[in-house]
C-alpha cells in the first residue's frame, strides 16, 4: 500500500509568482486536506477536498485554491505569492470525510518565497 | 473558534528523568491526536484519544485525555536522546473536519 506522496520536495519562487503543489492520496482514500506550517508554528488548515468538492476551508485568502481529481489526488495552487507564504505545505489523506477516519500526512513540500 | 494551547513551548530534558507536556483546548472535541515532528520532516502520528479517561502508552510515551477539563497530557518516562523532537497535539471537532493544532512543544533531551 502506497502512502501519501507530495511533489515537489522543495521549491523556490519569487514574490508575485504562482505555484502548484501536488499530493497523491493513499490508496483507498477519497479525502485530502491541506495544511500550511510556518517555521516554528503548528500546521494550519487551508482546505479539504472530498470526492472532488471543497469540503471546508480555513482562514486563507482566495489566492489559495485547490483541485481534487477523479483519482483523488489533489493540487494546491497559490497565486500572487507573498513572502509570508514561505512554509512547509502538508497534505493529508483519509478514507472519508464522513466518519471517524484518521488523516495520514505526506512528507510535505517546502516552499521558499524570495 | 476552537483554540489549542500547549505548554511548555520548549522543554530541555535530562536523560532518565520524567516530564509532562500539556495540551488545553477551548471547546468540546471529538478526538485528540498527538504527533511527533523531526526537524524538516512531516508529522508522525503517536496517539489518538477518543473518550474521557482514555490512556494510551507506547514505549516511554503515555498520553491521557480529560474531556471535562479539556486537557490532554503527554508524559515522557525516563527521557532518552531519541525522543528529541517537536510534539504537537491536535483536536478535531467534527468527523472528517479540520485538525486544529497547538503551537508545539520542542523537546531537547540532553545526556
Amino acid at each position: 500500500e502506497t502512502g501519501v506522496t507530495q511533489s515537489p520536495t522543495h521549491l523556490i519562487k519569487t514574490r508575485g509568482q504562482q505555484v502548484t503543489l501536488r499530493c497523491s492520496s493513499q490508496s483507498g482514500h477519497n479525502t485530502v486536506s491541506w495544511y500550511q506550517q510556518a517555521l516554528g508554528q503548528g500546521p494550519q488548515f487551508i482546505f479539504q477536498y472530498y470526492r472532488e468538492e471543497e469540503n471546508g476551508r480555513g482562514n486563507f485568502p482566495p489566492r489559495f485554491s485547490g483541485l481534487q481529481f477523479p483519482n483523488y489526488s489533489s493540487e494546491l495552487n497559490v497565486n500572487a505569492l507573498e513572502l509570508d507564504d514561505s512554509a512547509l505545505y502538508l497534505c493529508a489523506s483519509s478514507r472519508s470525510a464522513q466518519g471517524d477516519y484518521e488523516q495520514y500526512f505526506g512528507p510535505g513540500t517546502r516552499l521558499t518565497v524570495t | 473558534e476552537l483554540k489549542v494551547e500547549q505548554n511548555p513551548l520548549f522543554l530541555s530534558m535530562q536523560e532518565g528523568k520524567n516530564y509532562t507536556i500539556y495540551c488545553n483546548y477551548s471547546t468540546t472535541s471529538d478526538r485528540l491526536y498527538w504527533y511527533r515532528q523531526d526537524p524538516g520532516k512531516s508529522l508522525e502520528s503517536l496517539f489518538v484519544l477518543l473518550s474521557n479517561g482514555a490512556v494510551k502508552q507506547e514505549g516511554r510515551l503515555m498520553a491521557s485525555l480529560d474531556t471535562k477539563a479539556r486537557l490532554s497530557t503527554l508524559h515522557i518516562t525516563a527521557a532518552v536522546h531519541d525522543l528529541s523532537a517537536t510534539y504537537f497535539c491536535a483536536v478535531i471537532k467534527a468527523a472528517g473536519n479540520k485538525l486544529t493544532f497547538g503551537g508545539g512543544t520542542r523537546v531537547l533531551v540532553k545526556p
Side-chain angles (χ1 to χ4, degrees):
Chain A
E1 183 179 270
T2 306
V4 180
T5 61
Q6 292 185 244
S7 63
T9 306
H10 295 91
L11 202 52
I12 300 175
K13 289 286 189 177
T14 303
R15 190 172 49 184
Q17 287 186 317
Q18 178 265 343
V19 69
T20 297
L21 310 182
R22 294 178 175 83
C23 173
S24 291
S25 58
Q26 190 166 315
S27 176
H29 290 188
N30 62 18
T31 301
V32 172
S33 303
W34 286 92
Y35 295 83
Q36 180 197 65
Q37 186 179 20
L39 194 62
Q41 297 182 22
Q44 299 224 336
F45 175 76
I46 303 174
F47 43 56
Q48 181 183 84
Y49 278 84
Y50 169 56
R51 291 184 171 180
E52 303 179 58
E53 297 285 334
E54 187 178 288
N55 183 50
R57 187 180 181 92
N59 191 25
F60 280 81
R63 59 190 186 83
F64 285 78
S65 63
L67 281 173
Q68 188 177 34
F69 300 99
N71 67 354
Y72 303 125
S73 65
S74 178
E75 286 183 355
L76 164 65
N77 299 290
V78 187
N79 293 322
L81 283 167
E82 300 177 359
L83 296 179
D84 285 349
D85 296 334
S86 294
L88 179 67
Y89 288 85
L90 297 165
C91 80
S93 76
S94 55
R95 190 167 294 278
S96 176
Q98 308 297 319
D100 297 335
Y101 295 105
E102 186 168 354
Q103 297 182 25
Y104 294 85
F105 284 86
T109 294
R110 172 74 61 187
L111 172 65
T112 302
V113 182
T114 62
Chain B
E1 181 186 347
L2 177 58
K3 293 188 178 180
V4 181
E5 291 186 354
Q6 285 181 240
N7 67 83
L9 297 180
F10 177 72
L11 200 44
S12 179
M13 300 183 179
Q14 286 188 323
E15 279 193 332
K17 293 196 173 180
N18 303 332
Y19 298 87
T20 301
I21 299 170
Y22 298 90
C23 173
N24 290 91
Y25 52 97
S26 59
T27 65
T28 56
S29 75
D30 290 337
R31 283 167 285 159
L32 187 139
Y33 295 83
W34 283 97
Y35 293 93
R36 169 184 171 141
Q37 187 175 42
D38 292 299
K41 303 294 185 182
S42 188
L43 298 168
E44 174 190 353
S45 178
L46 296 174
F47 302 108
V48 180
L49 302 170
L50 300 177
S51 59
N52 189 44
V55 177
K56 290 198 174 179
Q57 183 164 4
E58 181 73 34
R60 300 176 187 274
L61 301 178
M62 183 176 72
S64 65
L65 179 62
D66 181 345
T67 57
K68 293 179 182 177
R70 296 176 190 160
L71 171 68
S72 179
T73 60
L74 180 65
H75 188 73
I76 299 172
T77 302
V80 293
H81 179 70
D82 284 353
L83 292 178
S84 295
T86 299
Y87 293 84
F88 291 95
C89 65
V91 299
I92 195 162
K93 189 163 173 59
N97 212 324
K98 65 176 182 178
L99 283 164
T100 301
F101 285 82
T105 297
R106 185 174 163 229
V107 167
L108 180 62
V109 182
K110 298 180 178 179

